[in-house]
Amino acid sequence: MEKVDRQHPVEQDPKIRRTNFDAVENNFTDEQAALEASRCLHCKNAKCVKGCPVNIQIPEFIAAIKEGNIEKAGDIIRQTSMLPSVCGRVCPQERQCEGNCILGIKGKPVAIGALERYVGDKTNAKIGEINDCNKKVAIVGSGCAGITAAADLRKAGYDVTVFEALHELGGVLRYGIPPFRLPRTVLDREIEGLKNIGVKFEKNVIVGKSITINQLKEDGFDAIFLCSGAGLPKMMNIPGENLNGVYSANEFLTRVNLMHANEESTPTPLKVGEKVAIIGGGNVAMDAARTAVRVGYKEVYIAYRRTEAELPARLEEIRHAKEEGVIFKFLHAPSEIIGQDGYVKAMKFDLMELGEPDASGRRRPVPTGESVTIQLDAVIVALGTGPNPIIQTSAQKEGLELETNNRGYIIVNEETGETSIPGVYAGGDVAPTGESNAINAMGAGKRAAKAMDEYLKSVCQ
Amino acid sequence: MGYKILRKKELCANQYELTIHAPYITKNAQAGQFIILRVSKDGERVPLTIADYDREKGELTIVFMAVGYTTKQLATLEVGDELVDIVGPLGQPTHIEKYGTVVCLAGGYGAAPCYLIAKAFKEAGNKVYMIMGARTKDLIFWQDKMKDACTELFITTDDGSLGTKGFVTDVMEDIMNKEKVDYAIAVGPMPMMRAVAELTRGKGIKTEASMNPIMVDGTGMCGACRVTVGGEVKFACVDGPDFDAHQIDFDEVINRTKIYKDYEKKRSENCNLYKQAESLK
């Protein structure tokens, strides 16, 4: 049999896609999907399944594609993952399923993510019969963890209300990940699906401010799932950080993705200059850089204090960013932002070299003693986020002992998501149990939904 | 679900009082907190301080001046119209305790939030002086309401058309000369709050100012509203809006409010809504 190469979805030309927010990659055509599915060896002890944080039955769904039964493939995926169209696009597959694929040892792994996305986009979630029970569940946050828990709990018959602080649903999928990576039609479709099975959404409600945990209980909620994420941006604490033109990546991305500040017709302002540096090397840094290209910055830098080998972003995003003209400055550590009349003018970086590995196993950057100054008119800080303390503080004020660790994350039983308050569960980035990403948040949502179902059955007869 | 406008009152030229049905806000609202609203789909998120509320009826009152795109748009709404989004209550409530003698300094349309603040201090057993200042007498509103909220009300106008001629700081100085002030809180334009801070600094009077920097989400996730207080970076939306006025880096915070000035100027030149509002003047 002739050897089939790994299939690649058609991508928009980098010169053109620099100017729009449309999806960079098309989906697989039916022919490509069939060819790619034919590459899978259907291992008995499939390593790819172990590499997936929610253990999707990968060889089975790929076998269904081969049979030409897309509906069956969709059903198999949705047994474990409610958001295949999202995860197939945003998971770092090279560190998960595809990173474990046996074909990857000598050649290229099966394009599991692209196949999952193909199936997700072509099929819909099936709504089985829902046997309503008279118990109410509150979900705090409409990101990946919340959406997943809401779906599972609704299917189990609960009256589910999702509370969202912002005026639109989806969490990071809405305000963080740009539409060229996750088209909004895909996200809207997933949320519509939840509304169709009877999940209620309350926007503009901040749990801990608009309503407290005790008040939710008074309103008849029998169990609560806290999944408010980790949205508090970390800053650099260097001189000049509060000059005009310095943004957190959250602010920059929220202005563009949520508020559409780049569009003429919207009143939310966005100041676009000539040169911008993004500080950091994760997916958020790539998203901010590629968004900066699209809103019209002429020169976009990514400054990272280690080398390309240590970049934590997805390989595909790094490649896409390079193709779109983003300039990488490796071994650059921020030291000072220089201003003029209150606005960013330039930024000074210490040049680094790699030393011994640190606690995370990555080689630690060490200053060489040399520095460099780059002329800029904006700086976007993408150095990660921490948990927002609103819920924790409010719980404390009403005398609830919600245990948190020294960094402010909620402490949970990793198997069940239970917090120190009976009936209150937590998961996703607010109570992280692994790498911060969509699929891990979904996994946490699923685990908590299962545990909440058992809890509710045991306490409310 | 929209947020319906129940009552509307023009307090003075370009300044309005709106009462809106928003039960999730009033459930836990306290003096010193704020809300963020969007007038229409695709609208921007704008912060406004809670001026009054009725918990039983779920009614929220805001006071604003029609100065920018969104506040001008807001001013065109009438009773029965709905706002697409209001979220809150946001920020930390003003810290209320029994200090003894408290002075609330209210400048311009920033005066409105002082109503709830003064009332709360009075209820906590303080002697509360309120100094309301404006450019001219037509811009003074809520006189009776303010009188009820405090022990004694002073009014100042820059042109002397009502009350004392001069600034709120002039009256503050008089009070400080006559008796011991234990606590002061300033709500109003940045230069006014800075002047209050300078005045009380030497006397060691604990003074707070309610910061009004640029905000986007108002829930602590973006840092647009950051303010340096005592050398530390704080987010006004979650750590504030009230901060120790003697510790605030006013130069920085004033500079940061200017980021979009050109943008807004350019917009106002091209925008019919702006032109319409300008022609009303």
Side-chain angles (χ1 to χ4, degrees):
Chain A
M1 203 175 101
E2 203 182 323
K3 191 172 168 279
V4 176
D5 289 332
R6 178 171 160 129
Q7 301 296 301
H8 295 285
V10 174
E11 293 183 355
Q12 268 200 80
D13 184 310
K15 280 196 206 72
I16 294 163
R17 70 178 195 244
R18 276 175 64 96
T19 62
N20 67 48
F21 283 80
D22 299 339
V24 165
E25 278 188 356
N26 285 353
N27 235 334
F28 271 158
T29 61
D30 294 345
E31 292 71 26
Q32 280 181 313
L35 276 173
E36 188 59 31
S38 75
R39 297 179 64 227
C40 177
L41 303 177
H42 301 285
C43 309
K44 280 224 172 57
N45 191 5
K47 289 221 170 84
C48 54
V49 177
K50 296 198 185 87
C52 169
V54 297
N55 311 118
I56 293 175
Q57 297 303 301
I58 294 164
E60 283 78 0
F61 96 73
I62 294 180
I65 300 176
K66 273 189 199 170
E67 288 166 27
N69 193 342
I70 302 291
E71 286 299 320
K72 186 176 161 195
D75 293 346
I76 293 169
I77 296 175
R78 288 193 177 87
Q79 280 168 17
T80 38
S81 165
M82 276 303 291
L83 305 170
S85 295
V86 173
C87 293
R89 288 179 167 85
V90 304
C91 274
Q93 285 102 0
E94 67 267 19
R95 293 200 289 277
Q96 298 175 341
C97 54
E98 294 181 23
N100 283 280
C101 174
I102 209 88
L103 288 183
I105 297 173
K106 284 192 170 167
K108 296 241 172 84
V110 174
I112 301 166
L115 286 173
E116 181 191 18
R117 176 170 84 195
Y118 166 80
V119 172
D121 285 6
K122 288 217 153 202
T123 58
N124 286 310
K126 305 255 188 331
I127 308 153
E129 199 159 309
I130 292 176
N131 296 314
D132 278 303
C133 60
N134 283 326
K135 289 170 206 158
K136 281 168 71 180
V137 177
I139 310 271
V140 181
S142 68
C144 291
I147 289 177
T148 307
D152 283 7
L153 286 162
R154 180 68 198 120
K155 284 193 278 186
Y158 297 99
D159 179 347
V160 178
T161 306
V162 179
F163 294 95
E164 167 58 49
L166 287 173
H167 61 267
E168 286 197 45
L169 304 169
V172 168
L173 302 178
R174 181 76 62 182
Y175 73 76
I177 297 175
F180 53 83
R181 265 210 307 137
L182 178 66
R184 292 306 182 253
T185 46
V186 170
L187 179 56
D188 292 342
R189 201 178 70 129
E190 303 282 13
I191 289 167
E192 271 314 299
L194 290 183
K195 287 183 183 166
N196 290 340
I197 61 169
V199 174
K200 297 171 196 159
F201 288 93
E202 292 256 20
K203 296 189 273 191
N204 299 318
V205 178
I206 304 183
V207 173
K209 290 279 186 192
S210 315
I211 192 164
T212 66
I213 291 177
N214 278 344
Q215 287 169 343
L216 283 172
K217 288 183 175 168
E218 283 161 23
D219 283 359
F221 287 98
D222 301 292
I224 300 166
F225 181 46
L226 305 175
C227 45
S228 50
L232 198 76
K234 288 187 187 141
M235 300 306 281
M236 300 175 288
N237 298 316
I238 60 169
E241 194 158 45
N242 292 336
L243 285 164
N244 291 349
V246 184
Y247 303 90
S248 72
N250 268 9
E251 180 185 349
F252 179 69
L253 290 170
T254 298
R255 282 182 185 273
V256 179
N257 292 334
L258 181 71
M259 306 310 298
H260 310 289
N262 54 311
E263 291 167 25
E264 277 288 309
S265 60
T266 61
T268 302
L270 182 72
K271 227 181 144 81
V272 178
E274 298 275 313
K275 296 179 180 185
V276 59
I278 288 87
I279 314 301
N283 286 323
V284 176
M286 301 302 142
D287 286 342
R290 299 173 64 198
T291 298
V293 166
R294 284 163 172 78
V295 299
Y297 279 94
K298 306 265 185 313
E299 271 175 45
V300 179
Y301 297 98
I302 282 187
Y304 182 56
R305 59 198 193 110
R306 292 185 164 96
T307 70
E308 179 156 9
E310 290 84 23
L311 278 176
R314 294 180 67 209
L315 290 178
E316 191 173 59
E317 310 315 328
I318 300 166
R319 172 172 65 83
H320 284 158
K322 284 183 181 168
E323 289 169 358
E324 289 160 12
V326 173
I327 304 155
F328 285 77
K329 295 280 182 189
F330 294 111
L331 296 166
H332 278 54
S335 73
E336 187 186 349
I337 304 170
I338 300 150
Q340 190 177 38
D341 304 327
Y343 287 79
V344 172
K345 180 85 187 149
M347 185 160 175
K348 198 172 150 195
F349 295 92
D350 289 335
L351 296 178
M352 314 299 273
E353 60 190 10
L354 287 186
E356 294 301 307
D358 64 9
S360 73
R362 291 183 302 177
R363 291 178 65 192
R364 189 195 303 269
V366 189
T368 59
E370 282 176 50
S371 66
V372 63
T373 299
I374 299 178
Q375 301 294 306
L376 296 168
D377 40 32
V379 174
I380 298 172
V381 185
L383 291 174
T385 54
N388 192 312
I390 288 179
I391 292 173
Q392 294 87 320
T393 309
S394 153
Q396 204 179 12
K397 272 190 199 150
E398 52 182 6
L400 293 168
E401 301 203 354
L402 183 63
E403 279 182 30
T404 54
N405 69 15
N406 56 6
R407 292 191 296 152
Y409 292 100
I410 298 172
I411 297 172
V412 293
N413 175 325
E414 295 207 2
E415 298 300 311
T416 61
E418 281 172 287
T419 69
S420 52
I421 308 172
V424 179
Y425 293 73
D429 285 357
V430 78
T433 51
E435 188 179 355
S436 160
N437 60 36
I439 190 83
N440 275 328
M442 278 183 50
K446 286 201 92 66
R447 279 194 297 279
K450 189 161 164 275
M452 287 165 83
D453 184 31
E454 282 161 16
Y455 164 82
L456 288 165
K457 282 189 179 125
S458 71
V459 293
C460 337
Q461 76 280 169
Chain B
M1 186 195 70
Y3 302 81
K4 190 172 272 185
I5 296 176
L6 305 169
R7 290 185 292 284
K8 178 184 181 181
K9 206 193 277 178
E10 184 164 6
L11 296 172
C12 46
N14 252 352
Q15 294 185 28
Y16 300 86
E17 173 188 335
L18 284 186
T19 301
I20 304 161
H21 184 65
Y24 266 120
I25 315 264
T26 56
K27 196 178 175 89
N28 295 309
Q30 290 180 65
Q33 290 187 295
F34 64 97
I35 54 110
I36 283 196
L37 59 77
R38 285 199 323 143
V39 176
S40 59
K41 200 177 154 289
D42 291 330
E44 63 184 333
R45 294 171 67 97
V46 170
L48 287 168
T49 313
I50 295 171
D52 202 357
Y53 58 85
D54 183 326
R55 230 190 274 292
E56 306 285 286
K57 294 183 185 159
E59 295 179 1
L60 163 77
T61 299
I62 52 171
V63 169
F64 65 95
M65 178 149 77
V67 282
Y69 180 87
T70 296
T71 44
K72 283 178 182 173
Q73 200 184 8
L74 190 58
T76 65
L77 299 188
E78 298 298 339
V79 171
D81 289 343
E82 289 186 354
L83 275 75
V84 291
D85 300 294
I86 305 182
V87 64
L90 298 164
Q92 301 299 326
T94 297
H95 175 75
I96 306 291
E97 66 171 76
K98 192 172 172 184
Y99 289 109
T101 301
V102 165
V103 182
C104 299
L105 300 106
Y109 69 100
C114 272
Y115 167 69
L116 286 178
I117 294 171
K119 204 165 103 170
F121 274 117
K122 197 176 159 191
E123 277 164 14
N126 292 284
K127 180 178 177 188
V128 181
Y129 293 122
M130 160 116 63
I131 313 170
M132 267 176 94
R135 248 180 19 252
T136 182
K137 78 170 198 289
D138 297 338
L139 301 175
I140 296 286
F141 59 88
W142 278 18
Q143 269 192 74
D144 291 343
K145 218 173 149 157
M146 292 297 195
K147 209 177 272 175
D148 290 344
C150 65
T151 316
E152 198 174 341
L153 175 68
F154 298 88
I155 289 174
T156 68
T157 46
D158 299 3
D159 63 1
S161 54
L162 187 70
T164 316
K165 181 174 167 29
F167 301 119
V168 290
T169 41
D170 298 331
V171 176
M172 179 68 183
E173 219 169 343
D174 277 354
I175 296 174
M176 282 161 48
N177 287 336
K178 282 184 201 140
E179 62 185 295
K180 184 174 165 283
V181 173
D182 301 290
Y183 172 92
I185 181 162
V187 188
M190 292 283 184
M192 169 258 181
M193 292 191 280
R194 189 215 301 252
V196 173
E198 290 316 314
L199 183 63
T200 59
R201 190 190 303 275
K203 302 257 179 182
I205 299 168
K206 183 179 165 66
T207 304
E208 285 186 305
S210 177
M211 290 290 100
N212 46 6
I214 291 172
M215 290 189 188
V216 184
D217 63 287
T219 64
M221 64 174 239
C222 87
C225 65
R226 54 197 195 273
V227 176
T228 304
V229 183
E232 265 183 71
V233 176
K234 302 278 183 190
F235 290 5
C237 72
V238 285
D239 302 320
D242 299 348
F243 293 110
D244 181 344
H246 298 145
Q247 303 281 323
I248 294 167
D249 183 341
F250 275 104
D251 285 342
E252 179 186 277
V253 78
I254 290 170
N255 179 57
R256 286 185 62 78
T257 59
K258 293 179 186 154
I259 305 176
Y260 299 109
K261 280 271 152 67
D262 315 346
Y263 182 95
E264 282 174 357
K265 188 163 169 273
K266 207 166 94 195
R267 181 167 197 103
S268 69
E269 283 160 8
N270 302 322
C271 173
N272 288 329
L273 191 68
Y274 266 102
K275 284 179 196 154
Q276 208 181 323
E278 289 301 320
S279 67
L280 291 177
K281 268 189 188 169

